[in-house]
């Protein structure tokens, strides 16, 4: 079996044209991750540019309202560019620069990863092109303009379902046209090896900070960590540091859309089956002939028919749990957190908030839940207004 | 001599590609027989996939048309069985790993053997992952075709050493499609292969005219033409057969 396995999952299922490119990336990453200068430069960018460490905030009103476990929010929404995506892109774009690349390309769904990549490319002086499903460019028009403002070129992808999976297809195709000067900055813990490992490592700063912060605040580890899962980068970043701490429940909240018993869902763990796609063996929403299913979620960032291979492995071995959360529940949580804590969470993160609302009351007040707020919800305000029948356009 | 070795036994081989089910399976069945009659030495049959990442827009759209016409892997196997009653032209499947894996790799290869498929090409399974397919291909006598690309460099000889049937030489960077010019030193790629193994090499990706086919055939043992044919199918739909036959005859003549 090839490299980069998590149990049976992962691997490197890419066309031969890309094999030397992924090998080159792996070699560079193995070198630079142990290079003190690289590590120090990334750490410096985290602190002085991205605003790390992010706060671990005690949501006291929410805790009291729900009347169960104590709830802490890991505030990745406070990072520069408004989400956890900046952690990974600073790492990967810095790596691209050290590899001598002059151009980065990336896919984006909601636009968060695209904006983050365009930001890092602007800062570090690399050319940047973003591939985004045409439907998403319309749903998230403001983010398209934001990326252009940051100097990136945005391509609207018109193939397939015109959403995130098609954006990934098109970015892979673009990379296979031009590998010499270009690095594909993948946005989640997915794709061919070494991406799932690289993205997890750069995102694992979330969990390391949580551990340090909760030990300082509470003198003990949390009982559960909750994060939303599409491809799964903020969840993997939150979970990784705690995998060996068996008493800490790791709970990934995936997008059920209209519900797991409907065809309007993106809940891969609940409804998917084992497959090989986008460079990896993992779980995918697909039909009996292996055709990838068109998935649906109100959240463009979770609207993906697969899940990262390390999550698939954590599910197989029973180390992490994955729960579906519907559009309705997520929107209700979006509004709830806005009112009760004065924090507008991304609709993606709202899936984790929604599950916390179910879980906390069933736990005792001496227990602790950490919810990763992967991003801020400003980008979603117009869409939520429309969901509630208020016709606001960006 | 097995069917794949036969392909290269009579001069330069001409290998057309069509997507099964584009515009529908009845036309595909007729096309295969007509292509064989027009001198195709091996026919590549694409099993359509929802997300073909190695394909350019022309074949992507063929996949969409094929899936929209209700094409499934089982229906393609049935069609191949019908073809085999009338023709012994060598046939290769070209598809992606997920349709094979989800169908069940062993069941897939067993059905290939029963239907009369001779080889399989799976572009998203590189050398490092070929164990996913190779044991089942071996068990059911299906030749697993290896690909080399312009970026393969030092990987070419590693791949060639373990290759069987023939080597698919990807002429250009990027995805399938018609190209005006092919600038890769394909001759060098073929020489690197032949240094370590006496195995036929067929060049594909971008070949769109008889002149290009002739030039590429000068570097190798055969040429693969896909998108240029699919373009004709897209243009003429169910009336495509005479147009496709005319075009493939011109290619076949150019390399003979």
């Amino acid at each position: 079996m090839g490299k980069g396995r998590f149990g049976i999952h992962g691997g490197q299922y890419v066309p031969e044209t890309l094999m030397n490119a992924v090998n080159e990336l792996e070699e560079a990453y193995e070198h630079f991750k142990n290079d003190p200068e690289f590590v120090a430069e990334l750490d410096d960018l985290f602190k002085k540019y991205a605003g790390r460490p992010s706060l671990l905030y005690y949501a006291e009103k929410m805790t009291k309202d729900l009347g169960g476990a104590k709830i802490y929010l890991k505030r990745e929404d406070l990072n520069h560019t408004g989400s956890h995506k900046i952690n990974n892109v600073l790492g990967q774009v810095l790596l691209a620069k050290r590899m001598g690349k002059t151009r980065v390309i990336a896919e984006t769904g909601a636009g968060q990863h695209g904006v983050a990549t365009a930001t890092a490319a602007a800062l570090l002086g690399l050319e940047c092109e973003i591939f985004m499903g045409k439907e998403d460019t319309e749903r998230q028009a403001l983010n398209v303009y934001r990326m252009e403002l940051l100097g990136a070129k945005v391509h609207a992808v018109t193939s397939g379902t015109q959403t995130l999976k098609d954006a990934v297809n098109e970015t892979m195709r673009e990379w296979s046209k031009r590998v010499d000067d270009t690095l594909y900055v993948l946005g989640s813990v997915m794709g061919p090896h070494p991406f799932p490992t690289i993205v997890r490592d750069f995102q694992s700063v979330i969990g390391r900070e949580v551990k340090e912060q909760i030990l300082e605040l509470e003198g003990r580890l949390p009982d559960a960590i909750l994060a939303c899962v599409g491809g799964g980068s903020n969840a993997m970043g939150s979970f990784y540091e705690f995998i060996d701490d068996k008493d800490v429940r790791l709970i990934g909240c995936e997008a059920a859309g209209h519900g797991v018993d409907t065809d309007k869902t993106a809940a891969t763990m609940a409804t998917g089956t084992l497959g090989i796609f986008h460079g990896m063996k993992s779980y995918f929403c697909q039909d009996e002939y292996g055709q990838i299913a068109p998935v649906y979620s109100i959240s463009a960032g979770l609207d993906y028919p697969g899940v990262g291979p390390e999550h698939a492995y954590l599910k197989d071995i029973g180390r992490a749990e994955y729960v579906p959360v519907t559009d309705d529940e997520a929107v209700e949580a979006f509004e709830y957190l806005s009112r009760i804590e004065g924090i507008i969470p991304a609709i993606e993160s709202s899936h984790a908030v929604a599950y916390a609302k179910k879980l906390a009351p069933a736990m005792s007040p001496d227990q602790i839940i950490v919810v990763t707020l992967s991003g801020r919800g400003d980008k979603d305000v117009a869409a939520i207004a429309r969901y509630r029948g208020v016709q606001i356009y960006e | 001599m097995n069917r794949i070795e036969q392909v290269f036994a009579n001069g330069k081989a001409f290998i057309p590609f069509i997507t099964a089910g584009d515009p529908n399976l009845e036309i595909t069945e007729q096309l295969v027989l007509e292509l064989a009659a027009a001198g195709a030495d091996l026919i590549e049959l694409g099993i359509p996939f929802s997300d073909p990442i190695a394909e350019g827009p022309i074949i992507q759209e063929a996949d969409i048309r094929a899936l929209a016409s209700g094409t499934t892997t089982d229906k393609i196997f049935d069609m191949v069985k019908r073809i085999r009653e009338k023709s012994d032209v060598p046939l290769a499947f070209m598809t992606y790993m997920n349709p094979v894996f989800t169908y069940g790799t062993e069941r897939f290869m067993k059905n290939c053997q029963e239907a009369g498929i001779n080889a399989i090409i799976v572009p998203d399974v590189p050398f490092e992952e070929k164990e996913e397919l190779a044991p089942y291909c071996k068990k059911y006598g299906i030749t697993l075709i290896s690909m080399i690309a312009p970026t393969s460099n030092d990987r070419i000889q590693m791949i060639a050493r373990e290759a069987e049937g023939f080597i698919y030489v990807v002429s250009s960077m990027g995805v399938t499609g018609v190209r005006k010019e092919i600038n890769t030193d394909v001759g060098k790629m073929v020489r690197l292969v032949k240094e370590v193994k006496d195995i036929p090499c067929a060049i594909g990706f971008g070949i769109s005219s008889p002149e290009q086919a002739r030039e590429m055939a000068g570097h190798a043992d055969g040429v693969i033409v896909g998108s240029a044919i699919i373009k004709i199918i897209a243009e003429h739909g169910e009336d495509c057969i005479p147009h496709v036959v005319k075009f493939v005859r011109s290619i076949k003549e150019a390399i003979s």
Side-chain angles (χ1 to χ4, degrees), chain B residues 146-191:
Chain B
S146 301
M147 302 176 99
I148 59 173
T151 45
S152 295
N153 304 326
D154 52 346
R155 296 170 52 82
I156 289 179
Q157 299 200 331
M158 168 182 86
I159 294 166
R161 269 185 207 102
E162 295 187 22
E164 48 184 75
F166 68 94
I167 285 188
Y168 190 131
V169 181
V170 175
S171 74
S172 311
M173 294 297 289
V175 292
T176 56
V178 295
R179 287 180 173 80
K180 283 205 183 78
E181 284 174 28
I182 292 169
N183 298 317
T184 307
D185 189 350
V186 284
K188 187 183 167 196
M189 292 167 73
V190 172
R191 280 195 300 279

Side-chain angles (χ1 to χ4, degrees), chain A residues 5 13 16 20 165 289, chain B residues 50-51 74 129 132 151-152:
Chain A
R5 292 285 169 173
Y13 300 88
E16 173 59 24
N20 265 330
K165 98 179 152 69
Y289 290 108
Chain B
S50 53
D51 298 81
D74 283 320
E129 301 290 357
E132 198 71 61
T151 45
S152 295

Side-chain angles (χ1 to χ4, degrees), chain A residues 1-3 5 11-17 19-20 23 159-160 165-166 169-170 172-173 176-179 274-278 281 286-292, chain B residues 48-55 60 67 72-74 97-99 101-103 123-126 128-129 132 147-149 151-155 159 170 173-175:
Chain A
M1 235 180 328
K3 287 184 280 192
R5 292 285 169 173
Q12 264 178 323
Y13 300 88
V14 292
E16 173 59 24
T17 307
M19 276 309 294
N20 265 330
N23 286 342
S159 58
K165 98 179 152 69
D166 309 284
N169 293 345
E170 216 48 49
M172 280 194 182
R173 289 179 185 128
S176 72
K177 283 179 200 158
R178 200 169 148 186
V179 291
L274 193 60
I276 296 175
F277 179 52
H278 278 165
K281 186 178 280 184
Q286 55 180 331
D287 73 10
E288 59 175 311
Y289 290 108
Q291 307 296 344
I292 302 300
Chain B
F49 181 44
S50 53
D51 298 81
I53 60 154
E55 314 298 346
Q60 285 176 40
L67 291 171
T72 66
T73 310
D74 283 320
M97 191 58 218
N98 203 49
F101 181 80
T102 301
Y103 194 85
D124 60 346
V125 176
E128 280 77 356
E129 301 290 357
E132 198 71 61
M147 302 176 99
I148 59 173
T151 45
S152 295
N153 304 326
D154 52 346
R155 296 170 52 82
I159 294 166
V170 175
M173 294 297 289
V175 292

Side-chain angles (χ1 to χ4, degrees), chain B residues 4 80 94 105 151 164 217 248:
Chain B
I4 296 301
V80 171
M94 139 99 207
T105 306
T151 45
E164 48 184 75
V248 301

